[in-house]
Amino acid sequence: MPAMHFTIRWPDGEEARCYSPSTIVREFFAAGSDYAVGEFVARSREALTIGSERVRQKYGFACSSALDQLAQIEHHARRFDGEPRAVVTVLALG
């Protein structure tokens, strides 16, 4: 299963390198694009859940790294609750 990373910039300027167990994130994000924080979290949740399920189908267990990554994204995103104009920028995929 081809794992990959994607690099993002949070609204406060902090950058993060995120993990996905599959290339599915390419179907949810485009490098150089901005996403409202809530939309970014929702897309991440869907993409990482699909990636984790692909691991389950192939190996018989979910990808704990994908679920951990999702938990980190959700936790960090809470800092921007109440900021409707806050966006996450996807800097790179790959």
Side-chain angles (χ1 to χ4, degrees), residues 2 6 13 18-19 21 34 42 44 51 53-54 61 67 75 86 88 90-91:
F6 55 107
C18 302
Y19 170 82
D34 293 332
S44 295
E53 285 305 309
R54 287 181 177 179
F61 51 85
L67 302 177
H75 177 75
V88 176
V90 175
L91 300 174

Side-chain angles (χ1 to χ4, degrees), residues 1 5 7 9 13 17 24 31 39 46 49 51-52 59 61-62 64 66 75-77 82-83 85 89 91 94:
M1 185 143 297
H5 289 88
T7 306
R9 183 172 45 241
R17 186 170 186 242
I24 189 68
E39 179 185 2
E46 189 171 355
T49 299
S52 180
Y59 299 107
F61 51 85
S64 61
H75 177 75
H76 201 92
E83 295 183 37
R85 295 185 184 173
T89 302
L91 300 174

Side-chain angles (χ1 to χ4, degrees), residues 4-80:
M4 67 175 288
H5 289 88
F6 55 107
T7 306
I8 62 169
R9 183 172 45 241
W10 289 100
D12 61 3
E14 181 179 340
E15 293 184 10
R17 186 170 186 242
C18 302
Y19 170 82
S20 172
S22 79
T23 58
I24 189 68
V25 293
R26 291 177 193 235
E27 296 178 26
F28 289 85
F29 300 115
S33 295
D34 293 332
Y35 301 90
V37 172
E39 179 185 2
F40 175 76
V41 171
R43 286 173 178 251
S44 295
R45 185 178 299 119
E46 189 171 355
L48 293 171
T49 299
I50 290 169
S52 180
E53 285 305 309
R54 287 181 177 179
V55 170
R56 182 188 310 278
Q57 290 171 0
K58 186 168 185 172
Y59 299 107
F61 51 85
C63 179
S64 61
S65 294
L67 302 177
D68 289 346
Q69 181 63 74
L70 177 58
Q72 290 174 8
I73 288 170
E74 291 173 334
H75 177 75
H76 201 92
R78 283 188 208 106
R79 295 178 18 190
F80 306 103

